[in-house]
Amino acid sequence: MKCLVAVLVCVVLAEGLVKIPLQKHKSMREALREKGIKLPYQDPALKYQPDEFAGSASMYINNYADTTYFGAISIGTPPQSLQVLFDTGSSNLWVDSTYCNTQACNAHTKFDPQQSSTFSANGQSVYLPYGAGSLYGELGYDTVNVGGIVVTNQEIGLSTQEPSQPFLSAKFDGILGLAYPGISAGGQTPVMDNMISQNLLNADIFAFYLSRGGQQGSELSFGGVDNSMYQGQIYWTPVTSETYWQIGVQGFQINGQETGWCSQGCQSIVDTGTSQLTAPSQFMANIMQAIGAQQSQYGMYMVDCSQINNLPTLSFVISGTAFPLPPSAYIEVQNQNGYQFCSVGITPTYLPSQNGQPLWIFGDVFLREYYSVYDRANNRVGFASAKTQSKDLYLKSVNRDRPQPHTDTKTY
């Protein structure tokens, strides 16, 4: 085991595999809700609309109010440690910086380029639209250390202005995008691509394990897969668009019954920067009816906590394999002011995929159930059942065994 710097968590280096622990924190939306502040709903798929900003130094960051998993990186010489969201749904790296003196920036750890001997300015500005405000920044180059993988001459966005809502309540200091370079704002080379071009990885692969409930133990690994984090085999499916980690979905089932909604094809973006499962808006009413959910005054879909065991299993058919989500995966149990309530972790998107097919987003609701592997060498995504933890379940009453993926022999 090798500890990089005192403020960085230890990482395990074994057989070319680099493991970065991720910490689970309360999301910005949860923190603000506890203060009586309601954030407006933002369509999660807005961040996948690159045409508006194609070729410019702009990118959407509309969907980070619900993110909860962060990890440490360091930037500069000597290294300065920051907590970032590792996001498969974007491609740029940006962090809070000393260029910014707003209340939101001052609440976070800020990178100070003047304290780094390896920093060089770019001279280009970056604009990041957000639903409740906009974040502005400048671009520069420096050395970035990700779990002991030292990337040189990495382009970085440094914030110069940041809105208080929702970033004042954010637990992260920046975002490290892991999607393809084709959607990178301003033509910035993503960190993963620099790792590849600088021959820093044993294999051009990274993978996520996200823990459930309040459990810790989440991790991001580079250079291979961590066999201790999943069970059974990895099921692979090709990337359908080398922009985001987008894959095809051939079927959607409710309690094992095929709905036919994806018989002509659906698309899904696998996105660690989205907390919930996002469904095409045209399917939402039927899904909520099957679940028996009612919409609250805050727009959340709620269910009776005592009925979780009786709710249906939702399954996706991907490249001939069905991946089930039991109710313990998509129902979020929360306690607030001594009151327990259960909400459905599924939100709508009103935007189709770029090829016009219905678009799903596999956020953390899906990724807590399945260990996910992102293979740049072969442009494919792999899923395997995430390892079982003894205290995974949200309620003690939810004690059913989690279904395993299985090969579906039906033709759709």
Side-chain angles (χ1 to χ4, degrees):
M1 184 171 288
K2 178 182 179 182
C3 292
L4 301 171
V5 290
V7 291
L8 271 180
V9 290
C10 296
V11 297
V12 179
L13 306 175
E15 298 179 355
L17 183 67
V18 177
K19 304 179 187 179
I20 301 168
L22 303 178
Q23 299 297 314
K24 190 174 189 295
H25 297 278
K26 190 172 295 183
S27 72
M28 289 186 279
R29 191 179 302 277
E30 289 174 315
L32 289 171
R33 186 168 57 225
E34 290 178 356
K35 298 177 181 178
I37 301 173
K38 178 188 175 184
L39 281 178
Y41 178 75
Q42 294 292 320
D43 192 320
L46 282 175
K47 68 187 282 191
Y48 310 132
Q49 301 299 306
D51 292 343
E52 181 178 351
F53 298 112
S56 67
S58 304
M59 56 182 167
Y60 269 117
I61 50 171
N62 284 64
N63 198 41
Y64 298 115
D66 297 295
T67 53
T68 55
Y69 296 92
F70 319 117
I73 65 170
S74 68
I75 301 175
T77 307
Q80 302 174 42
S81 180
L82 302 103
Q83 290 285 327
V84 298
L85 163 68
F86 292 95
D87 179 22
T88 60
S90 67
S91 296
N92 293 76
L93 169 62
W94 73 266
V95 295
D96 289 311
S97 80
T98 53
Y99 294 158
C100 180
N101 287 305
T102 65
Q103 185 181 14
C105 285
N106 291 337
H108 296 101
T109 300
K110 297 190 287 187
F111 172 67
D112 186 351
Q114 293 185 341
Q115 297 300 314
S116 174
S117 62
T118 47
F119 177 81
S120 62
N122 175 295
Q124 187 178 12
S125 61
V126 63
Y127 166 62
L128 298 81
Y130 185 77
S134 297
L135 187 151
Y136 296 84
E138 295 182 3
L139 299 179
Y141 296 91
D142 211 332
T143 298
V144 176
N145 190 322
V146 183
I149 304 172
V150 179
V151 180
T152 58
N153 203 38
Q154 174 63 50
E155 192 168 17
I156 307 162
L158 306 176
S159 65
T160 57
Q161 182 178 330
E162 190 172 307
S164 292
Q165 287 195 23
F167 289 106
L168 182 61
S169 300
K171 300 299 182 182
F172 58 85
D173 309 313
I175 296 172
L176 192 156
L178 290 166
Y180 284 83
I183 54 120
S184 178
Q188 183 186 114
T189 301
V191 172
M192 181 66 181
D193 287 79
N194 275 329
M195 288 182 180
I196 294 171
S197 65
Q198 295 176 24
N199 297 313
L200 301 177
L201 300 176
N202 187 54
D204 297 339
I205 286 175
F206 61 92
F208 278 89
Y209 170 79
L210 301 181
S211 61
R212 303 185 194 89
Q215 297 290 308
Q216 297 302 326
S218 303
E219 74 168 38
L220 162 63
S221 63
F222 285 95
V225 299
D226 186 345
N227 295 326
S228 68
M229 290 297 171
Y230 67 91
Q231 53 197 10
Q233 72 179 82
I234 298 174
Y235 296 85
W236 296 98
T237 190
V239 168
T240 57
S241 175
E242 293 177 22
T243 50
Y244 303 93
W245 289 96
Q246 182 173 309
I247 60 175
V249 175
Q250 295 78 46
F252 179 73
Q253 304 170 350
I254 299 177
N255 268 346
Q257 297 297 311
E258 176 57 51
T259 62
W261 298 343
C262 293
S263 60
Q264 300 301 312
C266 290
Q267 297 291 305
S268 179
I269 293 174
V270 187
D271 188 356
T272 58
T274 296
S275 66
Q276 299 189 326
L277 176 69
T278 299
S281 58
Q282 63 266 38
F283 304 152
M284 275 294 290
N286 288 331
I287 294 173
M288 293 304 122
Q289 182 178 9
I291 294 173
Q294 301 293 322
Q295 194 167 21
S296 74
Q297 60 179 333
Y298 296 106
M300 302 169 63
Y301 287 93
M302 313 299 293
V303 297
D304 184 342
C305 293
S306 67
Q307 296 299 310
I308 291 180
N309 278 328
N310 300 322
L311 300 183
T313 293
L314 310 177
S315 301
F316 293 91
V317 178
I318 304 169
S319 293
T321 299
F323 293 87
L325 291 179
S328 59
Y330 64 80
I331 297 298
E332 301 172 349
V333 179
Q334 302 177 49
N335 294 281
Q336 187 175 337
N337 300 324
Y339 176 74
Q340 184 181 76
F341 60 94
C342 295
S343 60
V344 181
I346 305 175
T347 55
T349 177
Y350 299 89
L351 299 171
S353 65
Q354 292 183 25
N355 69 0
Q357 292 181 343
L359 177 67
W360 300 80
I361 303 173
F362 290 172
D364 297 345
V365 165
F366 184 91
L367 297 174
R368 282 190 288 263
E369 288 294 300
Y370 296 101
Y371 183 75
S372 57
V373 186
Y374 307 80
D375 183 354
R376 279 291 299 272
N378 298 292
N379 293 315
R380 59 181 183 169
V381 178
F383 298 117
S385 292
K387 76 169 185 179
T388 302
Q389 295 178 338
S390 59
K391 297 181 180 179
D392 279 341
L393 300 181
Y394 293 94
L395 288 176
K396 291 181 180 179
S397 62
V398 182
N399 54 16
R400 67 174 62 182
D401 292 332
R402 181 160 50 87
Q404 299 294 303
H406 61 274
T407 300
D408 195 318
T409 57
K410 295 180 181 179
T411 302
Y412 297 94

